[in-house]
Amino acid sequence: TAFAQRMAPGDSLLDSASVMGLMALRARQDVIDQWRRRLLAAPSAAHEADFGARYARELVAAQHASLQDGAVDAVRRVAANPWLSPAAPETLATFDGGVLTLPDMAVQLQYLAPGTRQDIRDAPDVRITDFLWGLVLDELLWRQADSAGIRMQPATFQAMLDDCRDAVHRLWQRVGI
């Protein structure tokens, strides 16, 4: 059943590993967002969109990022069922000092709503390619932010912890724990 599948190890928001994984993704995104705000603070509002797009293109080029053949098809397979473990950690993209693998992307897809995963699976190749480039760019920005010493603000971290605790308690109440 769908409920049994959701209760599979590593795919239940009722288990601590999944809650911690979701928290880690939220914390990472907060740091990336802080870094983007700092980068975009310099240009005027009229030039902000152009600066952001140009910066992204230059960062991707400077890090020699590339998508691998078959990456779009791999995304479709995982979007259809992100809980299936791939036989091998298939590489979707490479860049200086790192790779984006199928398991990396699967973790992110597991936290999306089923309708969003369906949209990704059914999307044209160009949209899936854009999705992959977004993941690569986030990874590159994350590395820059980490090198620059950007950290999550304590108040934001506490709010995230509170949100997660409340979500776990609501889920426990629903299942009678």
Side-chain angles (χ1 to χ4, degrees):
T1 68
F3 182 73
Q5 185 177 15
R6 292 290 303 160
M7 295 303 293
D11 182 44
S12 168
L13 287 178
L14 299 176
D15 72 53
S16 60
S18 292
V19 171
M20 292 305 296
L22 183 57
M23 286 178 58
L25 286 175
R26 285 182 61 189
R28 175 185 164 104
Q29 192 59 50
D30 180 78
V31 169
I32 292 169
D33 291 345
Q34 283 185 58
W35 183 240
R36 280 188 170 127
R37 283 191 300 275
R38 286 188 186 189
L39 290 172
L40 295 175
S44 68
H47 295 96
E48 184 176 312
D50 180 54
F51 172 81
R54 187 174 63 244
Y55 187 86
R57 282 192 306 273
E58 290 173 5
L59 178 59
V60 165
Q63 295 298 311
H64 306 100
S66 65
L67 298 181
Q68 302 302 297
D69 291 337
V72 169
D73 292 332
V75 169
R76 281 199 175 93
R77 281 194 322 269
V78 173
N81 189 350
W83 299 276
L84 289 178
S85 296
E90 186 175 341
T91 298
L92 301 175
T94 60
F95 44 89
D96 289 351
V99 297
L100 175 66
T101 66
L102 200 56
D104 298 330
M105 196 254 324
V107 167
Q108 299 211 12
L109 288 178
Q110 287 174 1
Y111 293 113
L112 296 176
T116 303
R117 290 193 302 268
Q118 174 78 32
D119 290 345
I120 291 171
R121 191 183 77 210
D122 297 340
D125 288 1
V126 69
R127 283 193 52 218
I128 295 174
T129 299
D130 288 346
F131 172 74
L132 285 167
W133 279 119
L135 293 177
V136 169
L137 181 59
D138 277 355
E139 179 62 29
L140 296 174
L141 290 170
W142 164 254
R143 290 168 181 236
Q144 281 189 332
D146 187 57
S147 292
I150 306 295
R151 300 293 179 260
M152 181 177 260
Q153 298 299 316
T156 303
F157 184 73
Q158 186 60 51
M160 186 181 68
L161 287 175
D162 293 343
D163 288 348
C164 288
R165 183 196 65 238
D166 294 345
V168 168
H169 287 171
R170 282 191 306 273
L171 288 168
W172 286 349
Q173 287 174 339
R174 280 193 218 157
V175 296
I177 296 177

